[in-house]
Amino acid sequence: MIFFAMCVNCFTINAQDVLEITGPVDAFEGEEVEFTVTLGGEPIQAKVIFGDSLFVNWTNSSTGIIRFTMPSVPVGDKEYVVNASIPGGTGWLYASHSILVKNRTGILKIEFSIGYIVEMKDFIVTVKDRDEPVAGANVWFNSAKYVTDSTGNVTLTAPDVLITTNYGISINKTGHKSNSTMVTINEAGLGLKLMEVIHPSIVEPGKANIEVSVISKYGGLENVTIEVYYEDSKHSEYKTNSEGKAHINAPSMNNDNYFSLHVSKDEYSTYSGEKEITVSLFARDLGSDLEITLTQSEVYEGASVTAEVTDDIGSGVEEAAIWKGSLELDESTDSKGILEFIAPSVFMDREYYIYAIKKGYNFAEGKITIRDKSSNQQKLTIEIETVINESDIFYVTAKDENNIPLGEVTVTFNSEEKVTNENGTVSFTAPNVTIDTFYSIESTRYGYLPASASIEVINLDGGETSRKIQIHIVPYIMENEEFTVTIRNNQGDLLSGARVTFMDISLYTDFKGTATFTAPDVNWDRIQEILVTKSAYESTSAEITIKNDEEFQYWYLVIIVITILIIGIIAFFKYGRII
């Protein structure tokens, strides 16, 4: 190859010809970077050496292009020189180019579009590295995976919560250091006040008595206001009946080929939080009518659905577009008029409109019932230590809703996937961290609702004993009395998952940082130690006095009486009288 290259370049080089190598001035480690070598502005095959002979190769003879993958720079940014050379008639010509290879081991940063996140509402997460947006980063939230777009953004929907709850968000991307944090989902009274609007997404202009239904988990929702707007003006207004249904009239089509529905009811919100529902207007003409057949009348969300589209003589129609509601699918029907697609997610059982559309044909409409999978699935639960030290091995236990350990559960931690054994357990090693960091743990198994939890990995550079535990108890209790131990960290925050030992009983604190015990029977006042331990924290103890519940502690009186009698008997025999 070298011999061939040298022969190719064995020609007369004019004095004005200049050898140049061009390329980016900086790149991240692990990136593939392209350099171009030219002679007098024309591409040429040249020998290229990256750094101190780190990489050596020849450029493409016709394009002058060569590509190198940037080397790892674990300590920090490092500048490299890329040298190009060609043999000439009187010697070699040289050119060089400098490139800064940037370290990528910095922690990915997570930014939120809003500071106060409310259940059922959308919020944007932005992933950055060195204040630059990171595209293609994986974002794990609420047992689902999302990927950031070209601006480093991804839109998430806060789940419905019964009480204000913390959720973990984890991010990772190859070549970057993973990160995670906790986000608070604030309860806003929406837990039992959700409604779903079932409506057609395509109708004929001027069509009357179009059924629109509004449902909650308890059935049809009465007295919901439905306002119809067309071309920025209110067209009409309706109220749902006792079955949650209203029959509306579509406006005639002028300039706009759609109208909108504004659906509202005090103290209710739609699942998606949408304020406006768009309905398209498609006029029918004398063309052939499409027909759509859905092989299943009802399916669970996420299941496969088959749609068959035919014309008015029963022949399959190719390249027909399929709409799920108002969303057009990326693929169209095949040569037989068939298309398979995935049933959309729903938060309650509901009907869904499916449409077939093709130019030159009148659209077809079909309906399918989609069922909420959660109504037919058990819930997974996972048990973990909530705080661990970096580099420690820790265990995750997966169980069903009856507290029975489950094998074959896929558990994901820090981008690593493992499967639980027959005892429902799997182990991971906590990563090294520069600061105390939250990580999300996700668990999934077919036929079960996924579960997630968060775990805090503690950086030990500052010393493990700097993390202290505070024990809050009353100074004394009566025997057989129930009492509560409250555990906080040295910042005063309630500490869950701490092991509290009293007598021979050990309990773990709940999310309020509390554990409850019952004092034993005692014959006299007794001081008892309470010991508290938690991984990544300094163990500590406190004392509590258990008081005997008798008004007088009779055993003292018995001893006194016996002592007096013994003294009296001795005196009688010695002195002949009781003293």
Side-chain angles (χ1 to χ4, degrees):
M1 177 65 186
I2 294 176
F3 173 77
F4 168 75
M6 292 181 67
C7 290
V8 168
N9 288 293
C10 289
F11 56 86
T12 302
I13 299 176
N14 299 319
Q16 69 272 19
D17 289 340
V18 177
L19 185 68
E20 290 185 308
I21 179 170
T22 57
V25 295
D26 59 42
F28 282 108
E29 58 181 344
E31 279 189 35
E32 187 179 68
V33 175
E34 182 178 283
F35 300 93
T36 303
V37 180
T38 58
L39 178 66
E42 296 297 324
I44 193 169
Q45 189 173 37
K47 181 180 181 180
V48 180
I49 302 175
F50 186 97
D52 188 13
S53 299
L54 189 61
F55 310 119
V56 181
N57 212 332
W58 290 76
T59 61
N60 182 283
S61 58
S62 59
T63 64
I65 291 174
I66 189 171
R67 295 180 178 88
F68 291 118
T69 299
M70 296 298 97
S72 174
V73 284
V75 177
D77 300 351
K78 184 176 180 179
E79 188 173 86
Y80 287 89
V81 176
V82 188
N83 292 298
S85 60
I86 60 171
T90 59
W92 287 74
L93 289 181
Y94 297 93
S96 63
H97 175 81
S98 294
I99 183 170
L100 181 68
V101 180
K102 298 188 291 186
N103 172 268
R104 279 191 122 157
T105 58
I107 300 175
L108 291 174
K109 293 196 300 185
I110 305 173
E111 295 182 356
F112 297 100
S113 58
I114 52 178
Y116 189 81
I117 299 172
V118 178
E119 60 176 342
M120 311 308 298
K121 301 300 181 183
D122 290 346
F123 62 99
I124 296 173
V125 169
T126 303
V127 179
K128 291 185 176 181
D129 182 5
R130 299 179 180 221
D131 294 325
E132 292 296 324
V134 177
N138 297 319
V139 179
W140 301 84
F141 173 68
N142 195 23
S143 304
K145 176 184 174 183
Y146 306 84
V147 179
T148 56
D149 60 20
S150 59
T151 63
N153 291 335
V154 65
T155 300
L156 306 178
T157 301
D160 176 25
V161 294
L162 296 178
I163 60 173
T164 296
T165 309
N166 288 330
Y167 276 75
I169 295 182
S170 296
I171 56 175
N172 69 279
K173 184 180 181 182
T174 302
H176 297 259
K177 192 168 184 179
S178 302
N179 195 9
S180 60
T181 189
M182 299 296 290
V183 60
T184 300
I185 308 300
N186 292 277
E187 187 271 334
L190 300 178
L192 299 176
K193 298 178 181 178
L194 297 172
M195 61 181 179
E196 188 71 282
V197 183
I198 302 172
H199 61 90
S201 297
I202 302 174
V203 299
E204 299 172 50
K207 184 177 180 179
N209 294 319
I210 302 168
E211 184 176 282
V212 176
S213 299
V214 184
I215 60 174
S216 71
K217 282 187 177 292
Y218 306 103
L221 204 55
E222 189 177 7
N223 286 326
V224 178
T225 301
I226 301 175
E227 299 172 293
V228 178
Y229 281 80
Y230 183 67
E231 293 184 341
D232 299 324
S233 298
K234 186 172 180 178
H235 178 270
S236 52
E237 181 178 318
Y238 305 85
K239 293 277 189 180
T240 57
N241 59 20
S242 59
E243 298 178 346
K245 300 181 184 296
H247 293 84
I248 69 173
N249 298 329
S252 300
M253 188 163 61
N254 295 320
N255 296 318
D256 288 349
N257 60 354
Y258 67 92
F259 65 94
S260 60
L261 305 177
H262 293 213
V263 181
S264 61
K265 182 176 175 65
D266 288 344
E267 300 182 352
Y268 280 82
S269 172
T270 58
Y271 176 71
S272 60
E274 59 188 356
K275 301 297 184 184
E276 184 176 279
I277 297 168
T278 300
V279 181
S280 298
L281 294 169
F282 277 32
R284 291 188 178 273
D285 54 28
L286 299 177
S288 176
D289 291 333
L290 291 177
E291 296 288 337
I292 184 170
T293 303
L294 302 170
T295 56
Q296 304 92 328
S297 60
E298 61 179 56
V299 295
Y300 281 102
E301 56 184 344
S304 178
V305 179
T306 301
E308 180 181 7
V309 180
T310 56
D311 58 20
D312 48 12
I313 60 173
S315 299
V317 178
E318 187 177 5
E319 296 296 322
I322 301 296
W323 287 27
K324 289 189 302 185
S326 59
L327 178 67
E328 183 178 355
L329 300 179
D330 293 334
E331 298 179 348
S332 54
T333 55
D334 61 16
S335 59
K336 297 180 180 179
I338 304 294
L339 177 64
E340 288 191 3
F341 60 92
I342 300 301
S345 297
V346 295
F347 86 101
M348 66 176 76
D349 296 351
R350 58 158 292 180
E351 287 186 324
Y352 230 94
Y353 285 86
I354 308 294
Y355 298 93
I357 299 172
K358 185 173 182 178
K359 188 174 181 180
Y361 293 83
N362 291 318
F363 72 90
E365 175 186 290
K367 275 186 181 182
I368 189 170
T369 298
I370 299 178
R371 300 203 174 277
D372 175 18
K373 188 186 293 184
S374 64
S375 64
N376 193 45
Q377 287 186 311
Q378 294 190 59
K379 293 180 180 179
L380 276 178
T381 61
I382 50 178
E383 296 178 356
I384 55 169
E385 283 282 342
T386 55
V387 181
I388 56 171
N389 291 327
E390 59 182 352
S391 301
D392 276 0
I393 295 175
F394 68 97
Y395 292 87
V396 180
T397 301
K399 296 182 177 181
D400 64 15
E401 55 192 15
N402 297 316
N403 208 35
I404 298 174
L406 281 176
E408 301 300 321
V409 175
T410 300
V411 182
T412 304
F413 168 73
N414 195 26
S415 305
E416 183 179 9
E417 283 190 359
K418 292 187 177 182
V419 178
T420 58
N421 59 22
E422 64 275 10
N423 297 317
T425 62
V426 67
S427 65
F428 293 94
T429 300
N432 292 321
V433 293
T434 55
I435 58 173
D436 297 353
T437 306
F438 281 98
Y439 284 84
S440 178
I441 295 179
E442 312 287 338
S443 63
T444 58
R445 180 179 168 178
Y446 180 77
Y448 289 80
L449 292 174
S452 63
S454 62
I455 189 169
E456 186 178 14
V457 179
I458 304 302
N459 168 257
L460 297 180
D461 289 345
E464 184 176 354
T465 58
S466 63
R467 300 177 59 83
K468 298 183 182 299
I469 290 174
Q470 300 177 9
I471 303 176
H472 298 267
I473 52 174
V474 294
Y476 65 88
I477 52 171
M478 304 305 293
E479 61 181 351
N480 298 314
E481 182 181 354
E482 192 176 81
F483 67 99
T484 298
V485 180
T486 301
I487 307 301
R488 297 178 181 269
N489 61 20
N490 50 352
Q491 280 79 45
D493 301 319
L494 295 170
L495 203 57
S496 63
R499 182 176 181 176
V500 184
T501 302
F502 171 73
M503 307 288 288
D504 294 325
I505 300 173
S506 292
L507 300 176
Y508 288 90
T509 54
D510 59 17
F511 71 97
K512 297 179 181 179
T514 62
T516 302
F517 298 89
T518 300
D521 283 318
V522 292
N523 293 322
W524 59 88
D525 293 353
R526 173 177 170 181
I527 296 175
Q528 183 65 44
E529 182 185 53
I530 295 176
L531 176 66
V532 181
T533 60
K534 185 173 176 64
S535 177
Y537 285 82
E538 181 181 2
S539 300
T540 190
S541 63
E543 293 181 341
I544 189 169
T545 300
I546 306 170
K547 299 183 73 67
N548 178 270
D549 198 26
E550 300 295 335
E551 185 176 355
F552 299 101
Q553 297 191 1
Y554 292 109
W555 66 274
Y556 284 119
L557 184 59
V558 170
I559 290 175
I560 293 171
V561 171
I562 292 173
T563 302
I564 293 173
L565 286 175
I566 292 172
I567 294 172
I569 292 170
I570 293 172
F572 177 80
F573 285 104
K574 187 173 182 178
Y575 302 107
R577 60 188 178 87
I578 299 177
I579 60 172

